[in-house]
Amino acid sequence: MNRPPHTGQPVEVSLSPAEGGWHCSHLYYSWNRDVLASLPAEQIATGRADVIEALSPDAADAPLRVQTSIVSGHKADFGLMLMDPDPLKVDRIHQRLMAGKLGRAIVPGYSFVSMTEISEYVPTVEQFGQKLLEEGETEDSPTFATKVKGYADRLVMMNRQRLTPDLPEWPSTCFYPMNKKRKVGENWFLLSKEERNALMSEHARSGMAFAGKVSQLISVGLGLDDWEWGVTLWAANPEFLKDIVYRMRFDEASARYAEFGPFLVSYICTAEAMLDHCAIKA
Ligand code: 76R
């Protein structure tokens, strides 16, 4: 990329998040059946190959994460979740889809652009130790040191997973954008850090009750898109998606302060399986 001209202090120019995180796009598309019906059979056959190639997670220039899914309901026919340190690598998938032989039949629907990050509410090792002391542990007990060390080790893994996530193998996924309210009397951003910490800690506890059933990724849309956060959930069974979202409605952080955008539920598959499912055939 060309470096933009700048004046004053030289600044480091880079498109990759400085914290080591990734750009993340959630993209949703539908098929235009009128256009499909007008295409000659060989164009559909080569077009299918174009889509499969564009969405191949193994292609040399593919973003580091490429996930295709079949969307339930009328909001879209298929969805993509793409992640890479380079936002243009992510965007290129969209352009390749549109430039392929089926491009005219693919209708972009909803998109959400965000980045991975480590939330400011993840307890530090010190805060974790402090909490243990408040819960009755003593600093000289052998369990205290073991628990603190255990958390410090887990934290390294958890931070890596937040910034550069491995996508779970589970088949059901759900995405929705959300804001924290800024209303007179109910303004998340005017709460003290202590108040927000307490609410987020209640939130995290109810999330952890779903360990082994639901996995989540919170990506940030602040400054990048219309909503502040993107919530991606993966579940071993779609029923768990409803269960966790219902449960969290009762957390004060959600009940009082959360606002939600559209929900998109989908089922992860290969590009080929998505094309078959959508009956894209010559
Ligand atoms: O990152 C961590 O796992 C530490 C604890 C934690 C944080 C900091 C956590 C845990 N979340 C955090 C931050 Mn969450 N989360 C949501 C939603 O539908 C709703 O009501 C809200 C949407 C779900 C379903 C969910 C699930 N979380 C956040 C933030 C960022 C706030 C900020 O930075 O200002 C948002 C917007 C948010 C929303 N959360 C968990 C879960 C689950 C399942 C967990 C447990 C994680 C685990 O066990 O791995």
Side-chain angles (χ1 to χ4, degrees), residues 117-123 158 162 176 178 180 188 200 203-211 214-216 218 220 229 231 233 244-245 248-249 251 254 258 260 263:
E117 73 159 15
I118 296 171
S119 165
E120 63 178 302
Y121 303 108
V122 178
M158 285 175 348
R162 287 180 190 107
Y176 52 98
M178 65 175 285
K180 285 281 166 69
W188 175 260
M200 289 310 288
H203 161 79
R205 272 196 309 280
S206 60
M208 279 174 305
F210 287 82
V214 177
S215 182
Q216 121 276 30
I218 305 302
V220 182
W229 287 278
V231 180
L233 304 173
I244 191 172
V245 173
M248 290 202 165
R249 285 293 191 271
D251 292 345
S254 280
F260 300 99
F263 281 65

Side-chain angles (χ1 to χ4, degrees), residues 133-146:
L133 296 177
E134 285 161 20
E135 285 166 2
E137 278 276 2
T138 51
E139 238 168 288
D140 49 5
S141 90
T143 47
F144 178 76
T146 315

Side-chain angles (χ1 to χ4, degrees), residues 13-14 25-26 32 34 38 70 78 136 140 154 158 179 187 189 223 228 237 242 252 265 273 279:
V13 176
S14 165
S25 280
H26 291 77
N32 181 323
D34 288 339
S38 74
I70 295 164
F78 70 97
D140 49 5
R154 273 203 318 282
M158 285 175 348
N179 285 341
N187 189 329
F189 298 93
E228 291 163 351
N237 182 308
K242 129 187 125 43
E252 200 176 340
V265 65

Side-chain angles (χ1 to χ4, degrees), residues 163-180:
L163 286 176
T164 60
D166 285 322
L167 305 186
E169 294 293 314
W170 288 332
S172 323
T173 181
C174 164
F175 170 76
Y176 52 98
M178 65 175 285
N179 285 341
K180 285 281 166 69

Side-chain angles (χ1 to χ4, degrees), residues 179-247:
N179 285 341
K180 285 281 166 69
K181 217 182 272 172
R182 283 178 286 125
K183 230 182 90 181
V184 176
E186 282 176 342
N187 189 329
W188 175 260
F189 298 93
L190 289 178
L191 297 179
S192 67
K193 176 84 183 157
E194 287 69 33
E195 288 170 301
R196 284 179 286 124
N197 268 339
L199 293 173
M200 289 310 288
S201 141
E202 178 196 31
H203 161 79
R205 272 196 309 280
S206 60
M208 279 174 305
F210 287 82
K213 289 176 161 179
V214 177
S215 182
Q216 121 276 30
L217 179 74
I218 305 302
S219 53
V220 182
L222 280 156
L224 307 170
D225 213 321
D226 303 337
W227 295 82
E228 291 163 351
W229 287 278
V231 180
T232 310
L233 304 173
W234 291 268
N237 182 308
E239 192 175 16
F240 303 147
L241 299 171
K242 129 187 125 43
D243 292 344
I244 191 172
V245 173
Y246 183 59
R247 162 81 176 261

